Coordinates of all heavy atoms in Angstrom, one line a residue:
N1 N -13.0 -59.0 -27.4 CA -12.2 -58.9 -26.1 C -13.2 -58.6 -25.0 O -14.1 -57.8 -25.2 CB -11.1 -57.8 -26.2 CG -10.1 -58.2 -27.3 OD1 -9.7 -59.3 -27.5 ND2 -9.7 -57.2 -28.1
V2 N -13.0 -59.3 -23.9 CA -14.0 -59.2 -22.8 C -13.3 -58.7 -21.5 O -12.3 -59.1 -21.1 CB -14.5 -60.6 -22.6 CG1 -15.6 -60.6 -21.4 CG2 -15.2 -61.2 -23.8
V3 N -14.1 -57.7 -20.9 CA -13.7 -57.2 -19.5 C -14.6 -57.9 -18.5 O -15.8 -57.8 -18.7 CB -13.8 -55.7 -19.4 CG1 -13.4 -55.3 -18.0 CG2 -12.9 -55.0 -20.5
V4 N -14.0 -58.4 -17.5 CA -14.9 -59.0 -16.4 C -14.7 -58.0 -15.2 O -13.6 -57.8 -14.7 CB -14.4 -60.4 -16.0 CG1 -15.1 -60.9 -14.7 CG2 -14.7 -61.3 -17.1
V5 N -15.8 -57.5 -14.7 CA -15.8 -56.7 -13.5 C -16.8 -57.2 -12.5 O -17.9 -57.8 -12.8 CB -16.2 -55.2 -13.8 CG1 -15.1 -54.5 -14.6 CG2 -17.5 -55.1 -14.5
G6 N -16.5 -57.0 -11.2 CA -17.4 -57.3 -10.1 C -18.5 -56.2 -10.1 O -18.0 -55.0 -10.1
A7 N -19.7 -56.4 -10.1 CA -20.7 -55.3 -10.2 C -21.3 -55.1 -8.8 O -22.2 -54.2 -8.7 CB -21.8 -55.7 -11.2
Q8 N -20.9 -55.6 -7.8 CA -21.3 -55.3 -6.4 C -20.1 -54.8 -5.6 O -19.4 -54.0 -6.0 CB -22.1 -56.4 -5.8 CG -23.4 -56.8 -6.5 CD -23.9 -58.1 -6.3 OE1 -23.2 -59.2 -6.5 NE2 -25.2 -58.3 -6.0
W9 N -20.0 -55.4 -4.4 CA -18.9 -54.9 -3.5 C -17.7 -56.0 -3.5 O -16.9 -56.2 -2.6 CB -19.3 -54.8 -2.0 CG -19.9 -53.4 -1.8 CD1 -19.2 -52.3 -1.7 CD2 -21.3 -53.1 -1.4 NE1 -20.1 -51.2 -1.5 CE2 -21.4 -51.7 -1.2 CE3 -22.4 -53.9 -1.4 CZ2 -22.5 -51.1 -0.9 CZ3 -23.6 -53.3 -1.1 CH2 -23.7 -51.9 -0.8
G10 N -17.5 -56.8 -4.6 CA -16.5 -57.8 -4.6 C -17.1 -59.1 -4.2 O -18.2 -59.2 -3.7
D11 N -16.3 -60.1 -4.3 CA -16.6 -61.5 -3.8 C -17.9 -62.0 -4.5 O -18.7 -62.8 -3.9 CB -16.9 -61.5 -2.2 CG -15.7 -61.0 -1.5 OD1 -14.6 -61.5 -1.7 OD2 -15.9 -60.1 -0.6
E12 N -18.1 -61.7 -5.8 CA -19.3 -62.1 -6.5 C -19.1 -63.5 -7.2 O -20.1 -63.9 -7.8 CB -19.6 -61.1 -7.6 CG -19.8 -59.6 -7.1 CD -18.7 -58.7 -7.3 OE1 -17.5 -59.3 -7.5 OE2 -18.8 -57.5 -7.1
G13 N -17.9 -64.0 -7.1 CA -17.7 -65.4 -7.8 C -17.0 -65.1 -9.1 O -17.2 -66.0 -10.1
K14 N -16.1 -64.1 -9.2 CA -15.4 -63.8 -10.5 C -14.5 -64.9 -10.8 O -14.3 -65.2 -12.0 CB -14.7 -62.5 -10.3 CG -15.5 -61.2 -10.2 CD -14.6 -60.0 -10.2 CE -13.8 -59.8 -9.0 NZ -14.6 -59.7 -7.7
G15 N -13.9 -65.6 -9.8 CA -12.8 -66.6 -10.1 C -13.3 -67.7 -11.1 O -12.7 -68.0 -12.1
K16 N -14.6 -68.3 -10.7 CA -15.0 -69.4 -11.6 C -15.3 -68.9 -13.0 O -15.0 -69.5 -14.0 CB -16.3 -69.9 -10.9 CG -17.1 -70.8 -11.9 CD -18.5 -71.2 -11.4 CE -19.4 -71.7 -12.6 NZ -20.6 -72.3 -12.1
I17 N -16.0 -67.6 -13.1 CA -16.4 -67.1 -14.4 C -15.1 -66.8 -15.2 O -15.1 -67.2 -16.4 CB -17.3 -65.8 -14.2 CG1 -18.5 -66.2 -13.3 CG2 -17.7 -65.3 -15.6 CD1 -19.5 -67.3 -13.9
V18 N -14.1 -66.2 -14.5 CA -12.9 -65.9 -15.3 C -12.3 -67.1 -15.8 O -11.8 -67.3 -16.9 CB -12.0 -65.0 -14.4 CG1 -10.6 -64.9 -15.1 CG2 -12.5 -63.6 -14.3
D19 N -12.3 -68.2 -14.9 CA -11.7 -69.4 -15.3 C -12.4 -70.0 -16.5 O -11.8 -70.5 -17.4 CB -11.6 -70.3 -14.2 CG -11.2 -71.7 -14.6 OD1 -10.1 -71.9 -15.2 OD2 -11.9 -72.7 -14.3
W20 N -13.7 -70.0 -16.4 CA -14.6 -70.5 -17.5 C -14.4 -69.8 -18.8 O -14.3 -70.5 -19.8 CB -16.0 -70.4 -17.0 CG -17.1 -71.0 -17.8 CD1 -17.5 -72.4 -17.8 CD2 -17.9 -70.5 -18.9 NE1 -18.4 -72.6 -18.7 CE2 -18.7 -71.4 -19.4 CE3 -18.0 -69.1 -19.4 CZ2 -19.6 -71.2 -20.4 CZ3 -18.9 -68.9 -20.4 CH2 -19.6 -69.9 -20.9
L21 N -14.1 -68.5 -18.8 CA -13.9 -67.7 -19.9 C -12.4 -67.9 -20.4 O -12.1 -67.9 -21.6 CB -14.2 -66.3 -19.7 CG -15.7 -65.9 -19.6 CD1 -15.7 -64.4 -19.1 CD2 -16.4 -66.0 -21.0
S22 N -11.5 -68.0 -19.5 CA -10.1 -68.1 -19.8 C -9.7 -69.3 -20.6 O -8.7 -69.2 -21.4 CB -9.2 -68.0 -18.6 OG -9.3 -69.3 -17.9
E23 N -10.5 -70.3 -20.6 CA -10.2 -71.5 -21.5 C -10.2 -71.1 -22.9 O -9.5 -71.7 -23.7 CB -11.2 -72.6 -21.2 CG -10.8 -73.9 -21.7 CD -11.7 -75.1 -21.2 OE1 -12.9 -74.9 -21.2 OE2 -11.1 -76.1 -20.9
R24 N -11.0 -70.0 -23.2 CA -11.1 -69.7 -24.7 C -10.4 -68.4 -25.0 O -10.4 -68.0 -26.2 CB -12.6 -69.5 -25.0 CG -13.3 -71.0 -25.0 CD -14.8 -70.9 -24.8 NE -15.3 -70.0 -25.9 CZ -16.3 -69.2 -25.7 NH1 -16.6 -68.9 -24.4 NH2 -16.8 -68.5 -26.6
A25 N -9.8 -67.8 -24.0 CA -9.0 -66.6 -24.3 C -7.5 -67.0 -24.6 O -7.0 -68.1 -24.2 CB -9.0 -65.7 -23.1

């Protein structure tokens, strides 16, 4: 199980990465 967090002040590009991972979740 994977947690995705922004590691700066937000707006890091989480949307694309989450989408990329969500295909397999």
Side-chain angles (χ1 to χ4, degrees):
N1 299 321
V2 178
V3 178
V4 173
V5 294
Q8 294 159 309
W9 278 289
D11 304 309
E12 301 96 347
K14 291 185 291 296
K16 168 191 161 170
I17 303 296
V18 167
D19 173 54
W20 189 82
L21 289 167
S22 68
E23 194 170 41
R24 293 160 57 226

